[in-house]
């Protein structure tokens, strides 16, 4: 019986949420009903005067916010502003006067914040109604030994440091997350539906809603708009890159860890530290350095041409005849190859560290008994070590994959200023063959101010990442063992 | 005998790998001491050796090189980032690990998913939010960028707190301690090792970050840059031939403290990455 009740509650949390509100309004006394308008009324009537005043103050603040902040912004939210920026130079006083223009971006941002505040307030209002009703029930209970005591204000404050401590702890970090993560995501989504670009830059120009036309142009392909072409090419390379980067570093990381862990190795700790030194240097320094290392006139190229490697590659056909250098980072296929190789250089020490940790926990009796049964080293590796590592690291592999989709540093630092696309269609969309979606997005915003298309790309990447994130996430959560030690 | 040969080959192979991994680092170090200011395109080792690059870097700032100021900026930003992030992460971890409230699991899941969305994607929006608050090209803005969302990265510290025996907290509660006292007097001291990890980890973020710094400080003056942006700008096409060896010197100087901190931290790094997945 109890189980059934619990099940019902679990399946319909939303229903109970509104049902409780309904009960509060229907069964509440005059003061509770009055709380619908004056939020503090219920508290004040039921002996919690200070709380009542505070809640009413919040309500007043909210109303003031609505009148002076939300209303003027939301009124223009439909058009994102109509008054164009104008500057008039007064020839007599030589002073410029600027008219009371609309800034589309400010309107957009403020409207989103205002909507956010309004939603928060509605939730606050609902929970207020419920707690006022609970207070009424508590207050009307007949005097008895089991009757719960109504908290004074002082006790309420104290509870924030004892049983409600989590509210105190979470409020500041949550505020930060709202400011840095949640509001930007909403802004990003909104911009994708506007025509915000270089021709529509506030404050000098207005931008407005254009519906889904940006999404259409991402898949369109005409002589002037080549986003569809560029998008397909870059998406393909992004996914290929993410798979290659994740697998290569993963496999070579395990191999390197096993090489160092092997019983033959003297001083394994020293070897490990030497590899770690390579990644301890900040990534932007090493990557920029490597870019010059492999530059068209860089040192590797001059060494290669001295010892005849360049000529050899020319004769094999890997380097085209009219070049007298190896285009490590300046021709498409070479650059893609080099990026993956350099990423191995960057990523393998990390994976080696992790794999070392995992390998140390591997049950050695299994491997030993397999060897007694006549398994070779290789068989033991394939049938025992690998499945174990995959089991432990499976979820983090997917996380790595998502991280590689967004691996900005490696691609941008290696190819910016070094790679120029020969493909006119890609150049029209400000893209390059070696770009990932994120580096394309970054260039679109940082160099070309094409915010609308960047937002659309951002949303697409979001969706791709979300799918993989949720894939790995369900596995991570399902095996939650937080209670094990407690 | 066979074993010895095998051992020699084994170590020879490792040595080759180490050389491959350390060649760029070595190039960084030797170029930092090079007498030729541009990129040496024909020789790996410089023809003339000098310490002038370091002198220029540290003692004689000019319009391009303001290394002392950059170092100070990055240090200030990273100290504040480190304090705020560590506080946030500890607060969130304690709330999720040691207190029980309605919607806790849902909130935890939501945070993990939100944290996996990379910041690079929403950076334009972050930039404009901060611009409308007038915080771009300011260090306060950078600190907010690096630390505001840090509460989401609670997983590792929470995992550590989960291993603290519940009896410890129960006993304190029986003695009449409030949750605040349990948090500050009992849980935090026990968590010291993982706090070290968290502190170093968040301290390193501003030193290695390139994207946000470029976006946020781009229009500022050279004096306000962080080390990453300052060094990057030295490699501008018009400057690289005069400043490349100074760039290397700057990279070398910044690498020393970072490497030391990273090597201290690396043993926790493994725990951190696998803690999300080792649930079997």
């Amino acid at each position: 019986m109890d189980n059934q009740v619990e099940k019902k509650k679990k399946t319909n949390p939303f229903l109970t949420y509104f049902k409780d509100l309904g009960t509060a309004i229907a069964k509440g006394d005059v003061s509770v009903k009055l709380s619908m308008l004056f939020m503090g009324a219920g508290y004040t009537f039921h002996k919690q005067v200070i709380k009542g005043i505070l809640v009413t103050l919040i309500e007043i603040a909210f109303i003031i916010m609505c009148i002076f902040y939300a209303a003027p912004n939301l009124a223009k939210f439909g058009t994102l502003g109509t008054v164009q920026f104008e500057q008039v130079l007064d020839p007599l006083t030589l002073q410029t006067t600027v008219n009371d223009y609309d800034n589309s971006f400010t309107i957009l941002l403020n409207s989103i914040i205002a909507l956010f505040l309004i939603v928060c307030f509605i939730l606050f209002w609902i929970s207020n109604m419920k707690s006022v009703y609970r207070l009424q029930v508590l207050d009307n209970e007949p005097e008895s030994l089991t009757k719960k005591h109504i908290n004074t204000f002082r006790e309420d404050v104290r509870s924030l440091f004892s049983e409600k401590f989590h509210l105190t702890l979470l409020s500041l970090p949550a505020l930060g997350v709202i400011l840095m993560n949640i509001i930007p995501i909403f802004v990003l989504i909104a911009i994708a539906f506007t025509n915000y670009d270089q021709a529509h830059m506030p404050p000098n120009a207005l931008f407005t809603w254009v519906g889904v036309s940006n999404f259409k142009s991402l898949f369109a392909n005409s002589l002037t708009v080549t986003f569809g072409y560029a998008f397909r090419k870059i998406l393909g390379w992004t996914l290929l890159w993410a798979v290659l980067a994740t697998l290569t570093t993963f496999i070579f990381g395990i191999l390197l860890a096993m090489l160092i862990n092997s019983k033959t190795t003297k001083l394994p700790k020293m070897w490990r530290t030497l590899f770690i030194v390579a990644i301890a240097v900040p990534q932007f320094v090493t990557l920029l350095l490597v870019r010059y290392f492999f530059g068209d006139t860089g040192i590797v190229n001059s060494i290669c041409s001295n010892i005849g490697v360049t000529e050899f590659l020319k004769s094999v056909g890997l380097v085209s005849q009219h070049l007298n250098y190896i285009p490590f980072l300046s021709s498409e296929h070479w650059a893609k190859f080099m990026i993956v190789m350099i990423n191995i250089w960057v990523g393998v020490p990390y994976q080696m560290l992790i794999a070392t940790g995992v390998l140390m926990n591997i049950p050695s009796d299994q491997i030993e008994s397999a060897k007694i049964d006549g398994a070779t080293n290789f068989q033991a590796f394939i049938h025992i070590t690998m499945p174990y590592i995959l089991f432990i690291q499976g979820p983090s592999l997917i996380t790595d994959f998502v991280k590689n989709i967004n691996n900005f540093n490696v691609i941008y630092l290696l190819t910016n200023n070094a790679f120029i696309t020969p493909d006119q269609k890609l150049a029209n969309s400000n893209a390059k063959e070696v770009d990932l979606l994120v580096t394309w997005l970054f260039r679109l915003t940082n160099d070309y101010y094409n915010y609308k298309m960047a937002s659309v790309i951002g949303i697409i990447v979001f969706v791709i990442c979300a799918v993989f994130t949720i894939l790995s996430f369900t596995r991570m959560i399902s095996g939650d063992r937080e209670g094990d030690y407690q | 005998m066979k074993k010895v040969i095998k051992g020699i080959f084994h170590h020879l192979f490792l040595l080759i790998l180490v050389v491959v991994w350390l060649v760029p680092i070595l190039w960084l170090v030797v170029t930092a001491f090079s007498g030729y200011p541009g990129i040496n395109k024909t020789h790996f080792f410089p023809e003339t050796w000098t310490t002038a690059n370091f002198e220029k870097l540290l003692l004689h700032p000019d319009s391009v090189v303001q290394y002392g100021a950059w170092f100070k900026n990055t240090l200030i930003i990273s100290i504040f980032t480190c304090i705020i992030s560590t506080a946030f992460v500890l607060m969130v971890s304690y709330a999720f690990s040691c207190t029980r409230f309605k919607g806790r699991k849902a909130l935890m899941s939501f945070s993990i998913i939100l944290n996996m969305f990379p910041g690079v994607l929403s950076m334009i929006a972050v930039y404009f939010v901060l611009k409308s608050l007038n915080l771009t090209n300011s260090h306060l803005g950078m600190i907010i960028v690096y630390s505001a969302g840090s509460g989401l990265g609670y997983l590792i510290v929470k995992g550590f707190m989960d291993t603290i025996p519940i009896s410890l907290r129960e006993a304190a509660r029986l003695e009449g301690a409030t949750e605040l006292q349990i948090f500050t007097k009992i849980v935090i001291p026990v968590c010291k090792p993982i706090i070290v990890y968290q502190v170093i980890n968040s301290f390193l973020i501003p030193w290695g970050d390139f994207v946000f710094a470029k976006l946020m400080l781009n229009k500022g003056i050279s004096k306000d840059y962080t080390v990453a942006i300052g060094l990057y700008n030295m490699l501008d096409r018009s400057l690289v031939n005069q400043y490349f060896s100074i760039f290397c010197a700057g990279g070398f100087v910044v690498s020393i403290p970072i490497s030391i901190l990273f090597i201290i931290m690396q043993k926790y790094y493994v725990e951190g990455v696998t803690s999300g997945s080792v649930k079997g």
Side-chain angles (χ1 to χ4, degrees):
Chain A
M1 186 63 194
D2 269 4
N3 259 342
Q4 269 183 345
V5 173
E6 214 155 64
K7 248 185 194 169
K8 243 185 185 173
K9 255 187 184 170
K10 264 192 178 164
T11 46
N12 268 326
F14 286 104
L15 218 66
T16 37
Y17 184 79
F18 288 109
K19 215 169 131 195
D20 287 350
L21 177 68
T23 333
I25 294 172
K27 292 190 181 165
D29 60 12
V30 181
S31 75
V32 173
K33 289 200 168 88
L34 209 57
S35 300
M36 286 163 65
L37 274 181
F38 306 100
M39 286 174 63
Y43 292 120
T44 319
F45 191 76
H46 293 289
K47 299 170 192 164
Q48 292 194 327
V49 182
I50 302 181
K51 204 170 174 185
I53 294 171
L54 276 180
V55 171
T56 315
L57 280 179
I58 293 176
E59 192 185 2
I60 292 170
F62 175 75
I63 292 169
I64 293 173
M65 189 284 295
C66 273
I67 295 170
F68 291 103
Y69 179 76
N73 280 307
L74 285 174
K76 292 174 190 164
F77 189 55
T79 57
L80 292 177
T82 46
V83 187
Q84 184 84 28
F85 176 87
E86 266 163 26
Q87 218 171 11
V88 184
L89 180 72
D90 193 330
L92 291 175
T93 56
L94 282 176
Q95 274 180 336
T96 48
T97 46
V98 175
N99 65 335
D100 186 19
Y101 65 95
D102 286 332
N103 183 332
S104 300
F105 188 82
T106 326
I107 293 168
L108 182 71
L109 179 63
N110 287 338
S111 300
I112 286 170
I113 295 172
L115 285 174
F116 197 80
L117 288 175
I118 289 170
V119 170
C120 288
F121 182 79
I122 291 171
L123 293 178
F124 175 65
W125 184 86
I126 291 173
S127 81
N128 184 61
M129 286 309 294
K130 286 184 196 167
S131 81
V132 170
Y133 176 65
R134 268 201 304 277
L135 187 66
Q136 176 204 334
V137 174
L138 199 64
D139 199 23
N140 291 350
E141 225 175 83
E143 250 354 289
S144 73
L145 278 176
T146 52
K147 180 176 172 172
K148 274 193 199 154
H149 151 83
I150 294 177
N151 275 357
T152 63
F153 183 65
R154 188 185 284 250
E155 284 164 333
D156 269 336
V157 172
R158 209 174 288 155
S159 81
L160 282 177
F161 293 96
S162 49
E163 67 262 33
K164 285 185 183 159
F165 192 43
H166 61 270
L167 288 179
T168 320
L169 286 175
L170 289 177
S171 55
L172 263 183
L175 197 70
V177 170
I178 289 168
L179 179 74
M180 271 301 295
N181 298 64
I182 296 179
I183 287 183
I185 289 173
F186 281 114
V187 172
L188 181 80
I189 293 171
I191 290 178
F193 296 95
T194 68
N195 60 353
Y196 187 10
D197 57 21
Q198 196 161 18
H200 303 88
M201 285 270 281
N204 295 320
L206 299 165
F207 63 83
T208 188
W209 301 107
V210 292
V212 293
S213 79
N214 295 328
F215 287 89
K216 276 185 195 154
S217 66
L218 188 64
F219 298 103
N221 208 355
S222 67
L223 275 177
T224 46
V225 183
T226 52
F227 275 103
Y229 174 77
F231 175 69
R232 251 177 293 128
K233 264 201 123 164
I234 292 179
L235 180 69
W237 163 235
T238 304
L239 293 177
L240 178 69
W241 147 261
V243 170
L244 282 179
T246 312
L247 287 185
T248 49
T249 52
F250 177 68
I251 292 167
F252 287 115
I254 291 171
L255 292 180
L256 183 62
M258 288 179 65
L259 193 70
I260 294 177
N261 282 11
S262 117
K263 282 177 195 131
T264 339
T265 312
K266 300 271 181 307
L267 302 169
K269 258 202 163 154
M270 178 203 78
W271 293 105
R272 219 170 282 140
T273 313
L274 283 175
F275 282 100
I276 291 166
V277 167
I279 52 170
V281 176
Q283 229 179 46
F284 74 93
V285 175
T286 45
L287 288 175
L288 286 171
L289 206 70
V290 168
R291 182 173 97 195
Y292 286 98
F293 206 56
F294 288 106
D296 286 345
T297 54
I299 181 156
V300 178
N301 250 315
S302 51
I303 291 171
C304 281
S305 88
N306 279 347
I307 58 175
V309 175
T310 315
E311 283 306 313
F312 171 72
L313 288 174
K314 258 188 189 177
S315 63
V316 181
L318 283 171
V319 172
S320 56
Q321 289 302 328
H322 63 273
L323 296 177
N324 50 7
Y325 56 86
I326 307 171
F328 284 116
L329 291 168
S330 55
S331 91
E332 182 188 348
H333 298 292
W334 271 102
K336 285 182 174 173
F337 172 74
M338 285 312 292
I339 289 167
V340 173
M341 294 312 282
I342 293 167
N343 186 64
I344 290 176
W345 184 83
V346 172
V348 160
Y350 287 103
Q351 289 293 339
M352 182 267 294
L353 269 179
I354 298 162
T356 307
V358 176
L359 286 174
M360 294 211 170
N361 296 327
I362 211 162
S364 59
D365 49 335
Q366 276 191 27
I367 296 178
E368 258 150 46
S369 61
K371 278 187 185 162
I372 290 168
D373 287 346
T376 59
N377 274 338
F378 182 72
Q379 279 172 327
F381 173 72
I382 290 290
H383 294 292
I384 298 170
T385 315
M386 261 329 260
Y388 181 81
I389 293 175
L390 275 178
F391 173 72
I392 302 277
Q393 278 195 268
S396 73
L397 263 184
I398 301 177
T399 319
D400 282 348
F401 180 75
V402 171
K403 274 188 193 150
N404 275 324
I405 288 181
N406 299 294
N407 200 334
F408 180 86
N409 271 354
V410 170
I411 303 281
Y412 186 82
L413 294 176
L414 281 179
T415 61
N416 194 40
N417 289 339
F419 186 91
I420 295 159
T421 174
D423 188 338
Q424 197 51 44
K425 273 172 138 181
L426 281 180
N428 277 348
S429 315
N430 314 122
K432 296 175 185 176
E433 279 90 347
V434 289
D435 266 337
L436 300 183
L437 288 170
V438 272
T439 54
W440 188 25
L441 181 152
F442 185 78
R443 186 159 332 101
L444 281 175
T445 53
N446 208 40
D447 301 347
Y448 299 97
Y449 308 103
N450 194 344
Y451 298 111
K452 54 174 193 185
M453 291 316 289
S455 300
V456 174
I457 297 165
I459 289 174
I460 305 256
V461 181
F462 250 90
V463 173
I464 296 171
C465 294
V467 170
F468 289 107
T469 304
I470 288 164
L471 263 180
S472 74
F473 175 70
T474 40
R475 273 199 60 185
M476 274 166 70
I477 286 299
S478 64
D480 199 351
R481 56 163 192 189
E482 64 175 354
D484 278 10
Y485 298 93
Q486 295 187 344
Chain B
M1 195 58 204
K2 209 178 161 193
K3 226 178 180 181
V4 176
I5 295 172
K6 203 184 154 202
I8 291 172
F9 272 109
H10 185 91
H11 286 93
L12 212 61
F13 185 57
L14 266 177
L15 191 71
I16 293 170
L17 284 180
V18 166
V19 168
V20 168
W21 252 266
L22 291 183
V23 157
I25 312 292
L26 184 68
W27 198 49
L28 175 79
V29 178
V30 296
T31 313
F33 291 98
S34 164
Y36 175 66
I39 309 165
N40 192 337
K41 283 165 183 158
T42 47
H43 295 88
F44 187 88
F45 291 99
E47 280 121 34
T48 49
W49 298 81
T50 171
T51 53
N53 296 323
F54 291 94
E55 280 162 31
K56 171 128 180 76
L57 194 73
L58 302 172
L59 303 175
H60 311 293
D62 63 15
S63 62
V64 176
V65 186
Q66 306 255 357
Y67 201 72
W70 299 339
F71 206 91
K72 200 186 83 200
N73 294 336
T74 320
L75 193 66
I76 292 171
I77 292 172
S78 50
I79 286 173
F80 279 101
T81 304
C82 169
I83 293 169
I84 297 172
S85 314
T86 310
F88 276 13
V89 167
L90 282 174
M91 283 155 83
V92 173
S93 305
Y94 185 84
F96 282 157
S97 171
C98 304
T99 67
R100 290 290 177 271
F101 54 90
K102 222 172 101 189
R104 185 182 66 101
K105 283 243 155 137
L107 203 60
M108 276 167 57
S109 316
F110 178 70
S111 313
I112 294 178
I113 292 184
L114 201 60
N115 192 36
M116 285 196 183
F117 287 128
V120 182
L121 287 185
S122 52
M123 67 191 167
I124 339 158
V126 170
Y127 173 74
F128 281 114
V129 170
L130 290 172
K131 200 176 168 190
S132 66
L133 295 170
N134 223 346
L135 286 173
T136 49
N137 292 317
S138 84
H139 295 162
L140 182 62
M142 298 300 298
I143 293 168
I144 291 176
V145 166
Y146 294 134
S147 59
S150 59
L152 294 177
Y154 66 84
L155 213 64
I156 297 166
V157 179
K158 179 193 171 278
F160 192 90
M161 281 185 185
D162 283 344
T163 62
I164 301 172
I166 197 167
S167 53
L168 212 63
R169 283 184 282 127
E170 298 273 84
R173 213 165 282 148
L174 285 178
E175 303 266 319
T178 63
E179 287 283 335
L180 178 67
Q181 284 165 330
I182 297 174
F183 179 46
T184 52
K185 303 247 164 73
I186 294 174
V187 173
I188 288 187
V190 175
C191 287
K192 243 179 218 159
I194 205 72
I195 292 175
V196 172
Y197 164 81
Q198 184 58 40
V199 164
I200 297 181
N201 201 15
S202 50
F203 184 84
L204 290 183
I205 293 172
W207 297 92
D209 172 70
F210 172 80
V211 191
F212 274 105
K214 185 162 163 61
L215 197 69
M216 298 281 303
L217 298 175
N218 215 6
K219 276 127 204 148
I221 46 168
S222 168
K223 227 182 149 173
D224 290 339
Y225 287 166
T226 62
V227 173
I229 296 307
L231 288 179
Y232 181 79
N233 281 358
M234 278 188 204
L235 297 184
D236 193 88
R237 260 171 220 277
S238 54
L239 299 172
V240 69
N241 286 325
Q242 299 144 48
Y243 287 100
F244 189 72
S245 57
I246 298 178
F247 165 85
C248 290
F252 179 55
V253 171
V254 73
S255 299
I256 295 168
I258 303 292
S259 312
I260 293 169
L261 287 176
F262 188 84
I263 288 168
I264 297 172
M265 188 191 71
Q266 48 106 354
K267 65 175 173 184
Y268 299 105
Y269 175 82
V270 179
E271 270 170 51
V273 175
T274 44
S275 73
S277 48
V278 188
K279 303 288 190 190

